[in-house]
Amino acid sequence: MSIRQQNSMAAFMSMMMQVIIWIAVISGAFAFVLITAGLIGSLNGGAIKVPGMETYVDGVKPGQFIAGLAGLVVFAPGIIYVCMQLKRILSTLADGDPFVPENGPRLTRIALAIALVELARYVTVFLLNAFVDLGSEQPVRLSINLAAWAAVVALFILAQVFREGSRLREEEKMTI
């Protein structure tokens, strides 16, 4: 039986992932408040007054704020969820044992999250173009992010590799 050493780089990366999660949560909440205030201001004739603060929004259509909110609602939860799953994987790596049975499903969940964010982005673009006046003649363009879809495929493959690795390790433990 061997004693596993803790991987200090993975432990550091796990800690950094926690910092990234908090930055994403705080900046997402801050952006939500700012965009919502802008939307209320644009719907209110260009001004919003709250005790201790006045905001003026000139020349920005409400649809542009709605598009910003839609993007925030689509991307922020996906980024936070993926980072949380990565932190859990990094924790097992920091403990010196990344081929645990839980990491295969975690990689699958990351792949599904990225795929769902991309699909939600497509639906959001369609809905914005169909129902929201963005204040310009140009519609929001739909683009297919091949890098995101390649990441989804790669993560599904890596999930299978981790499942097989943990299965082989379990078989090895049973062998004398």
Side-chain angles (χ1 to χ4, degrees):
M1 189 160 123
S2 65
I3 298 174
R4 292 191 175 97
Q5 291 183 328
Q6 186 168 7
N7 184 332
S8 60
M9 179 55 91
F12 174 75
M13 290 171 57
S14 179
M15 183 184 67
M16 290 306 297
M17 196 58 61
Q18 185 64 45
V19 170
I20 291 170
I21 291 168
W22 280 110
I23 289 171
V25 168
I26 292 167
S27 60
F30 187 68
F32 183 80
V33 169
L34 285 179
I35 294 171
T36 303
L39 176 61
I40 292 169
S42 68
L43 292 172
N44 194 28
I48 182 172
K49 293 181 183 179
V50 224
M53 180 178 85
E54 288 184 32
T55 304
Y56 298 98
V57 181
D58 290 329
V60 182
K61 299 262 186 190
Q64 293 170 321
F65 288 111
I66 292 170
L69 280 175
L72 186 64
V73 168
V74 167
F75 284 107
I79 290 169
I80 293 167
Y81 182 77
V82 167
C83 288
M84 289 170 55
Q85 294 300 312
L86 284 172
K87 183 181 180 310
R88 290 181 180 128
I89 292 170
L90 285 168
S91 294
T92 63
L93 180 61
D95 292 340
D97 191 13
F99 286 102
V100 295
E102 296 85 15
N103 281 347
R106 286 176 182 147
L107 287 168
T108 300
R109 288 192 293 267
I110 291 171
L112 289 172
I114 293 171
L116 286 173
V117 165
E118 279 299 298
L119 292 174
R121 187 174 65 85
Y122 299 155
V123 170
T124 302
V125 168
F126 172 75
L127 292 174
L128 286 172
N129 285 331
F131 299 110
V132 178
D133 176 21
L134 298 172
S136 71
E137 298 295 320
Q138 299 284 7
V140 177
R141 287 194 283 162
L142 179 64
S143 62
I144 295 176
N145 187 346
L146 293 178
W149 289 112
V152 169
V153 171
L155 285 164
F156 278 128
I157 292 168
L158 286 172
Q160 287 304 110
V161 168
F162 268 76
R163 281 188 186 98
E164 186 65 16
S166 64
R167 185 190 66 78
L168 289 173
R169 202 182 82 217
E170 289 300 315
E171 277 183 14
E172 178 199 7
K173 285 181 182 178
M174 301 293 185
T175 310
I176 296 178

